[in-house]
């Protein structure tokens, strides 16, 4: 028995299927977009918290690193100070900082909306949400922690909190707005016109990129490092000189935690895991590995050539300055360029170490050099080694030849200089006031605090 298909029935079925697909295409598209937005939220939360916790591990690592450079009786003071600074920074960032950094732009200088999380404004609704607040708040807190690593035994806890309020509520958010928000330096919609058209320096059109800083080479590290260096210069040597009684176990564990945190945070700065960004995140962690490995190896070699010995602190600082230097460029350079950035970082570390010795400035962990000099070199290296193809691959919005023409290097030099001067100027004012107050009301801060803070 043969069967035949009714042509009329076949046409009817096709028509019904076509109508079904057409009617549901919009709903399906909306469903996929919603689900992918949740995947992107999860990506930032995972990189921010690692189910406990990538970016948080950076903060823990920096605290342990500082604790590894102090006398055993001062460890409780280090933990008390840093945990308090982090929590207080969250408060300041919630009330003032996030609004100034990522609120609606005003003249390319600062944000003006979302104080105390009342509006949650973003220039792009695709990156809106509390997950972005959480991610950014930790970078504000870490930057503050890094400043006071250099300030140890020079100012008391009250002064630390006073400057944390000023730094997390004003100094750092303005820098973040300039570079990561819609400020005049930004590569993400700089200083937009009334029609929303961005105006990145130097040309104020899409033929320029603006300042490229993937994960905080300038915004986090350069600002904190030179703030700390300025404080050291103004306040002078510590009350109790460094004894060299470093704890190698704590130093190593702290460095490893920072290293782990950098992998997560740098990958998280791709913001999305959709739209091909997973490959960009993989490239970021590969370049990070190559750079910090290069920096560590060359730091060991340079130290041995000049001192004829291996030094654990130099080795660990070599790793750390490599992580700092690549943070700005990790998404826009090739692997062999990351290797050269690591070599440059090792040279900057040795130069900074020598400078501290010549000027007789005391910073036991040399945090101001690792983060200040490392951030400066990282900002410059971004302009030196970036390629136009890699900038596009990293997701930056403009298609141009700024890297190959050399314009990007000029932008990076100007941006780094502005960030350094902004952070250093406010640091100089604050610590000059502290020194003046100390001259009027002298006190033995470190000893008094250790007597008041109990570790039991």
């Amino acid at each position: 028995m043969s069967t035949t298909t009714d042509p009329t029935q076949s046409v009817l079925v096709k028509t019904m299927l076509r109508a079904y697909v057409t009617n549901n295409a919009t709903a399906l598209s909306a469903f996929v977009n919603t689900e992918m937005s949740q995947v992107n939220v999860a990506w930032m939360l995972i990189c921010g918290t690692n189910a406990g916790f990538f970016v948080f591990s950076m903060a823990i690592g920096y605290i342990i690193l500082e604790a590894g450079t102090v006398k055993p009786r001062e460890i409780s003071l280090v933990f008390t100070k840093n945990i308090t600074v982090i929590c207080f920074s969250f408060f300041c960032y919630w009330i003032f900082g996030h609004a100034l950094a990522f609120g609606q732009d005003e003249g390319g200088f600062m944000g003006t909306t979302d104080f105390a999380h009342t509006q949650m404004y973003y220039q792009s609704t695709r990156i809106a949400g509390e997950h972005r607040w959480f991610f950014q708040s930790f970078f504000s807190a870490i930057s503050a922690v890094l400043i006071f690593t250099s300030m140890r035994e020079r100012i008391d806890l009250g002064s630390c909190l006073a400057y944390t309020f000023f730094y997390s509520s004003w100094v750092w958010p303005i820098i973040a707005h300039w570079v990561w928000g819609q400020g005049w330096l930004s590569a993400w919609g700089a200083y937009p016109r009334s029609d929303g058209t961005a105006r990145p320096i130097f040309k104020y059109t899409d033929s320029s990129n603006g300042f490229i800083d993937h994960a905080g080479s300038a915004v986090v590290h350069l600002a904190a490092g030179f703030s700390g260096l300025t404080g050291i210069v103004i306040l002078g040597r510590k009350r109790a000189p460094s004894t060299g009684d470093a704890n190698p176990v704590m130093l190593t564990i702290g460095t490893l935690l920072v290293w782990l945190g950098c992998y997560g945070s740098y990958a998280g700065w791709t913001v999305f895991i959709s739209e091909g960004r997973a490959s960009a995140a993989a490239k970021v962690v590969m370049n990070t590995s190559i750079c910090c490995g290069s920096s560590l190896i060359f730091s060991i070699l340079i130290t041995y050539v000049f001192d004829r010995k291996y030094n654990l602190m130099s080795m660990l600082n070599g790793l750390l300055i490599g992580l700092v230097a690549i943070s700005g460029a990790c998404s826009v350079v090739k692997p062999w360029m990351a290797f050269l950035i690591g070599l440059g970082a090792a040279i900057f570390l040795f130069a900074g170490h020598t400078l501290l010795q010549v000027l007789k400035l005391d910073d036991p962990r040399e945090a101001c050099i690792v983060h200040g000099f490392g951030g400066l070199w990282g900002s410059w290296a971004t302009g030196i080694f970036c390629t136009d193809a890699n900038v596009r691959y990293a997701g930056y919005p403009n298609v141009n030849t700024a890297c190959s023409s050399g314009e990007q290097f000029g932008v990076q030099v100007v941006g780094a200089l502005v960030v350094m001067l902004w952070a250093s100027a406010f640091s100089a004012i604050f610590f000059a006031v502290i020194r003046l107050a100390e001259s009027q009301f002298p006190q033995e801060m470190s000893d008094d605090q250790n007597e008041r803070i109990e570790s039991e």
Side-chain angles (χ1 to χ4, degrees):
M1 183 175 68
S2 62
T3 61
T4 60
T5 301
D6 184 354
T8 304
Q9 184 181 9
S10 178
V11 171
L12 178 62
V13 170
K14 291 179 180 179
T15 303
M16 291 176 64
L17 287 173
R18 189 178 298 112
Y20 178 82
V21 171
T22 301
N23 291 335
N24 288 276
T26 302
L28 179 62
S29 177
F31 173 77
V32 171
N33 288 337
T34 299
E35 292 306 306
M36 287 311 301
S37 69
Q38 292 304 305
V39 170
N40 291 329
V41 169
W43 172 245
M44 290 199 73
L45 287 176
I46 289 170
C47 291
T49 58
N50 180 28
F53 306 134
F54 271 126
V55 177
F56 192 40
S57 77
M58 292 177 65
I60 297 172
Y62 285 128
I63 293 172
I64 293 176
L65 266 170
E66 182 180 353
T69 63
V70 303
K71 305 179 184 72
R73 69 185 183 88
E74 295 178 340
I75 291 177
S76 60
L77 174 60
V78 169
F79 285 126
T80 300
K81 178 198 69 176
N82 285 302
I83 292 173
T84 306
V85 165
I86 289 173
C87 291
F88 191 57
S89 178
F90 286 158
F91 172 77
C92 299
Y93 188 75
W94 166 55
I95 298 295
F96 301 107
H98 193 73
L100 295 173
F102 297 102
Q104 188 168 4
D105 177 69
E106 181 61 41
F109 182 74
M110 66 181 185
T112 56
T113 58
D114 193 31
F115 290 93
H117 188 47
T118 55
Q119 185 176 346
M120 192 52 73
Y121 169 86
Y122 283 97
Q123 65 267 28
S124 170
T125 57
R126 300 167 69 213
I127 56 174
E130 287 77 3
H131 61 289
R132 183 65 184 263
W133 181 97
F134 172 78
F135 197 65
Q136 293 286 356
S137 66
F138 255 109
F139 287 100
S140 172
I142 288 171
S143 192
V145 165
L146 294 176
I147 295 174
F148 301 119
T149 299
S150 299
M151 295 289 97
R152 185 168 59 82
E153 294 186 10
R154 290 181 174 90
I155 58 176
D156 60 12
L157 181 59
S159 298
C160 286
L161 294 181
Y163 194 62
T164 297
F165 175 80
F166 191 55
Y167 188 78
S168 296
S169 299
W170 173 253
V171 178
W172 190 87
I174 297 300
I175 295 173
H177 183 75
W178 290 348
V179 179
W180 287 339
Q182 288 182 291
W184 64 281
L185 282 171
S186 178
W188 302 104
Y191 188 23
R193 296 186 177 93
S194 57
D195 63 357
T197 304
R199 293 178 280 185
I201 64 168
F202 290 127
K203 297 177 182 176
Y204 305 105
T205 67
D206 60 6
S207 61
S208 296
N209 289 319
F211 187 84
I212 295 176
D213 186 357
H214 177 81
S217 186
V219 177
V220 177
H221 300 285
L222 176 62
F226 274 91
S227 292
L229 180 60
T230 302
I232 292 174
V233 171
I234 291 176
L235 296 178
R237 294 181 64 81
K238 297 190 307 175
R239 289 167 173 74
S242 299
T243 61
D245 296 330
N247 185 321
V249 175
M250 296 184 73
L251 291 174
T252 303
I253 291 175
T255 301
L256 292 175
L257 284 170
V258 172
W259 195 0
L260 171 67
C262 286
Y263 279 132
S265 65
Y266 295 0
W269 268 112
T270 59
V271 181
F272 310 125
I273 195 62
S274 59
E275 304 176 13
R277 294 295 183 90
S279 297
K283 176 183 176 181
V284 162
V285 295
M286 179 182 69
N287 282 339
T288 300
S289 297
I290 293 170
C291 181
C292 64
S294 168
S295 181
L296 183 146
I297 291 170
F298 282 111
S299 293
I300 292 174
L301 292 176
I302 292 172
T303 300
Y304 185 78
V305 167
F306 286 92
D307 296 340
R308 292 298 175 184
K309 63 180 180 180
Y310 299 109
N311 183 287
L312 175 65
M313 194 58 153
S314 296
M315 181 187 76
L316 297 179
N317 278 343
L319 174 61
L320 290 170
I321 199 171
L323 292 170
V324 171
I326 198 61
S327 61
C330 52
S331 64
V332 297
V333 298
K334 297 178 180 179
W336 68 267
M337 298 172 177
F339 179 85
L340 294 181
I341 292 174
L343 169 59
I347 295 172
F348 267 72
L349 176 64
F350 181 76
H353 170 76
T354 304
L355 180 65
L356 289 183
Q357 290 185 325
V358 170
L359 299 180
K360 297 182 179 179
L361 299 175
D362 188 21
D363 183 354
R365 192 172 75 74
E366 297 188 350
C368 64
I369 301 303
V370 169
H371 301 283
F373 282 41
L376 182 64
W377 164 240
S379 298
W380 291 350
T382 301
I384 294 171
F385 294 108
C386 72
T387 68
D388 299 313
N390 277 300
V391 169
R392 290 193 291 274
Y393 184 77
Y396 287 91
N398 298 333
V399 178
N400 53 50
T401 58
C403 290
S404 58
S405 69
E407 177 189 330
Q408 194 61 46
F409 176 65
V411 172
Q412 298 298 125
V413 170
V414 170
L417 180 62
V418 169
V419 169
M420 181 175 65
L421 292 177
W422 175 266
S424 299
F426 285 105
S427 177
I429 293 170
F430 182 85
F431 292 119
V433 171
I434 293 295
R435 178 159 187 173
L436 179 62
E438 284 184 351
S439 66
Q440 299 297 319
F441 308 100
Q443 57 178 329
E444 293 297 328
M445 294 182 181
S446 181
D447 291 341
D448 290 348
Q449 287 186 81
N450 278 301
E451 292 174 3
R452 293 195 299 268
I453 297 175
E454 300 294 336
S455 61
E456 290 84 18

